[in-house]
Amino acid sequence: MHIPPRVLTVAGSDSGGGAGVQADLKTMLALGTHGMSVLTAVTAQNSLGVQGAWELPAEAVRAQFRSVVDDIGVQAVKTGMLSSAVLVETVAELLAGLRVPVVIDPVGVSKHGDALLAASALDAVRTQLLPTATVATPNLDEVAQLTGVRVEEEADMRRAAAAILDFGPRWALIKGGHLTAGHGDGEQAVDLLTDGTEEHWLRAPRHDNRHTHGTGCTLASAIAAQLAKGDTVPRAARAAKGYVTGAIAAGFRLGGGIGPVDHGWRLRGEH
């Protein structure tokens, strides 16, 4: 009997299905793993933005985590929206007891610019959550929020990575997708993966498609899935970059705003 690697996401729900736990589980399935979830918050969300968010109690998060880990077990964990200092501290404490790869996506704002992390939680992310990370995957806005480093061009990404690594993750993946033409290669989406010694520049074609909701969740989940399958961090990051690039290329319109990336593009043999 084949039992797929098990991957746990600890994140919020996106009612529109484009990001959050929904994107995580779709990604994990597409990459041949069994996805499981610990829900941290419920959002009312669609292609136009986040209309409301309700945080779950810490005891509910802790109970979900223990239910899954103590019975089913996990080969990797990915975190997303944690929203408050209490939840960040709760999840950090739970992760500290694991001996499996952990991918921390320090979600600060949604694709539409809606705040998903309280300012009061930033210090807990820095001092308690990031030290548990095998890989931390901040975008440029999250780098600025956490470290004060503002990335204007590719050369700044090394400084950003060093600032993130100072908080304790083993690897930092600085996502440069928000760099615009004239600040790096406008034809490519460039990320920097480093542990402070090794350096891996991950480049992929930049697709002219505005429907990119869920990109960050998808990338972090893909890395976690690959780590659960036994990849090294550099191999996992490269595979995840390839998967999310295809998902962006196949992103589709939903509603009146920004549609989601397509998590199932490989299943149809596209691209």
Side-chain angles (χ1 to χ4, degrees):
M1 177 186 298
H2 170 66
I3 300 175
R6 290 146 289 164
V7 188
L8 178 64
T9 171
V10 182
S13 168
D14 173 359
S15 55
V21 162
Q22 288 82 349
D24 297 339
L25 294 176
K26 292 172 188 176
T27 300
M28 292 167 187
L29 177 63
L31 294 177
T33 64
H34 175 68
M36 304 169 291
S37 61
V38 170
L39 210 62
T40 60
V42 175
T43 68
Q45 189 171 168
N46 55 27
S47 70
L48 300 174
V50 179
Q51 290 79 45
W54 298 267
E55 180 181 311
L56 268 67
E59 57 266 33
V61 171
R62 190 177 292 108
Q64 292 174 82
F65 187 95
R66 291 264 62 95
S67 291
V68 172
V69 172
D70 294 347
D71 174 49
I72 299 171
V74 296
Q75 271 80 55
V77 180
K78 174 261 178 184
T79 72
M81 176 185 176
L82 299 180
S83 71
S84 71
V86 169
L87 286 189
V88 171
E89 291 162 2
T90 299
V91 171
E93 178 185 342
L94 291 166
L95 293 176
L98 293 183
R99 295 294 178 266
V100 301
V102 174
V103 181
I104 300 293
D105 186 15
V107 176
V109 296
S110 75
K111 177 67 67 176
H112 307 88
D114 303 289
L116 298 177
L117 180 70
S120 58
L122 288 173
D123 194 53
V125 171
R126 297 182 189 107
T127 62
Q128 296 184 53
L129 189 64
L130 287 176
T132 70
T134 307
V135 191
T137 64
N139 64 29
L140 302 186
D141 291 334
E142 290 155 357
V143 166
Q145 191 178 38
L146 290 166
T147 70
V149 174
R150 301 202 171 273
V151 176
E152 304 291 344
E153 55 189 24
E154 273 188 37
D156 298 331
M157 293 174 73
R158 284 193 179 99
R159 195 160 48 93
I164 290 293
L165 288 172
D166 279 346
F167 294 125
R170 283 177 47 205
W171 292 82
L173 178 63
I174 307 301
K175 299 180 292 191
H178 292 174
L179 283 177
T180 56
H183 301 279
D185 187 342
E187 299 303 314
Q188 292 190 313
V190 182
D191 304 330
L192 172 60
L193 174 72
T194 180
D195 64 353
T197 303
E198 292 183 40
E199 216 176 68
H200 302 268
W201 291 91
L202 309 179
R203 301 178 186 274
R206 188 184 294 277
H207 294 286
D208 185 18
N209 185 358
R210 70 188 292 259
H211 301 303
T212 57
H213 186 46
T215 307
C217 304
T218 299
L219 180 66
S221 294
I223 294 171
Q226 294 301 127
L227 292 173
K229 294 189 308 191
D231 275 0
T232 63
V233 170
R235 285 186 61 187
R238 287 192 184 280
K241 177 81 169 179
Y243 173 75
V244 78
T245 299
I248 291 169
F252 53 90
R253 180 178 175 273
L254 278 184
I258 299 173
V261 300
D262 187 349
H263 305 93
W265 65 274
R266 276 187 179 163
L267 304 178
R268 293 184 298 280
E270 296 176 6
H271 309 285

